C-alpha cells in the first residue's frame, strides 16, 4: 500500500532528528482516508529548538521523499515540547511541497486528543495540553467569520473543486462542533449537509468526486453553476451560524 510505504519511509528519515512523537490527524486518523485523494496530515514533536540547521535537515528529508507515490500529499508540522502550549504560535511546516509556517489549531489539537493516531513515540495526551471547550468554539466561530465568510465573496475561487469541497465540509463540521460539541469526519459532514439544506446537486457532486472510483471531469458550465449555488448557500448560512454562536 503506497500510504503505508510512504509513512514507513518518512519515519525512517525522521528518526535521526530524534522525534519525541509522530502523530497523524485529519482523515488518516479519523477513519475517512481516501488513498490518492486525502492529504496525510502529520505532527512531529522534536526534542529541542528548531534552528536553521533543523530546517535544512527537514527540507532535505522531504526532498528525498519526492519521488515516492503520494509524497506531495504528505504535510507535517514540527513542534517541540517548549512550543506545544500556544495554539496561535506558528511552527515550521512542510506542506504543498514547500516550507512554510502555520499554527496547530484548536481543531487539530482536539482531533489529536480525540482520535489522533500515534505513529511513533509518546501519545498526544502525554505532551499536548487539553483544548478547553471555550477555546475550540471561539476558534470555529472566528474561522467561519474571518476566513470563510470573506472568501465566499471572491467569486473566482469557487469554480475550483478544493474551495467548494472545503467550504461546504468545513461549514458542516463547524455547525456540528458548535451545536453538539463534537468533531466529525468529512464523510459525516457530507451526510450533515443534506439536513442543513445545502444544494443537493453540489453535495452529490462532492460525494461522487470523493468516493467514486472514476469520477467524470466536469464541464465548465456546471462549474459555473455549482459555484453560484455554493456561494448563494454559504453566505447566509455562515452569517446565521456566526450570529447564533458568536
Amino acid at each position: 500500500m503506497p500510504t503505508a510505504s510512504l509513512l514507513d519511509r518518512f519515519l525512517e528519515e525522521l528518526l535521526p532528528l530524534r522525534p519525541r512523537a509522530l502523530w497523524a490527524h485529519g482523515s488518516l486518523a479519523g477513519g475517512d482516508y481516501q488513498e490518492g485523494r486525502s492529504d496525510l496530515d502529520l505532527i512531529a514533536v522534536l526534542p529541542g529548538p528548531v534552528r536553521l540547521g533543523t530546517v535544512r535537515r527537514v527540507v532535505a528529508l522531504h526532498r528525498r521523499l519526492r519521488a515516492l507515490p503520494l509524497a506531495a500529499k504528505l504535510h507535517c508540522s514540527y513542534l517541540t515540547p517548549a512550543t506545544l502550549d500556544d495554539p496561535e504560535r506558528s511552527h515550521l511546516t512542510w506542506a504543498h511541497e514547500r516550507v512554510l509556517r502555520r499554527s496547530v489549531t484548536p481543531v487539530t489539537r482536539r482531533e489529536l486528543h480525540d482520535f489522533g493516531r500515534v505513529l511513533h513515540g509518546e501519545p498526544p495526551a502525554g505532551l499536548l495540553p487539553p483544548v478547553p471547550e471555550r477555546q475550540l468554539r471561539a476558534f470555529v466561530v472566528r474561522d467561519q467569520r474571518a476566513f470563510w465568510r470573506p472568501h465566499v465573496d471572491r467569486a473566482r475561487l469557487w469554480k475550483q473543486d478544493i474551495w467548494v469541497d472545503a467550504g461546504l465540509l468545513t461549514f458542516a463540521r463547524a455547525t456540528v462542533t458548535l451545536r453538539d460539541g463534537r468533531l466529525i469526519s468529512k464523510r459525516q459532514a457530507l451526510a450533515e449537509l443534506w439536513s442543513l439544506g445545502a444544494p443537493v446537486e453540489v453535495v452529490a457532486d462532492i460525494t461522487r468526486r470523493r468516493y467514486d472510483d472514476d469520477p467524470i471531469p466536469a464541464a465548465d458550465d456546471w462549474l459555473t453553476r455549482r459555484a453560484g449555488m455554493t456561494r448563494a448557500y454559504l453566505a447566509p448560512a455562515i452569517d446565521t451560524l456566526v450570529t447564533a454562536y458568536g
Side-chain angles (χ1 to χ4, degrees), residues 191-203:
E192 193 70 28
L193 282 170
W194 297 110
S195 63
L196 291 173
V200 172
E201 290 176 272
V202 179
V203 178

Side-chain angles (χ1 to χ4, degrees), residues 23 25-26 43 77 79 83-91 102-116 124 128-144 173-174 177-178 181-184:
W23 306 320
H25 60 100
I43 300 288
S77 291
L79 286 64
T83 65
L84 281 166
D85 290 357
D86 185 2
E88 301 292 334
R89 182 168 185 153
S90 295
H91 304 275
R102 68 183 182 192
S103 63
V104 178
T105 71
V107 169
T108 295
R109 291 163 180 265
R110 176 62 69 86
E111 285 184 0
L112 288 167
H113 277 290
D114 287 358
F115 52 82
L128 195 66
V131 182
E133 199 68 29
R134 179 180 296 180
Q135 184 184 81
L136 177 65
R137 294 169 69 88
F139 171 80
V140 170
V141 171
R142 185 172 72 246
D143 185 54
Q144 288 291 301
R173 297 171 91 175
T177 297
L178 294 171
R182 60 189 176 93
L183 303 181
I184 60 172

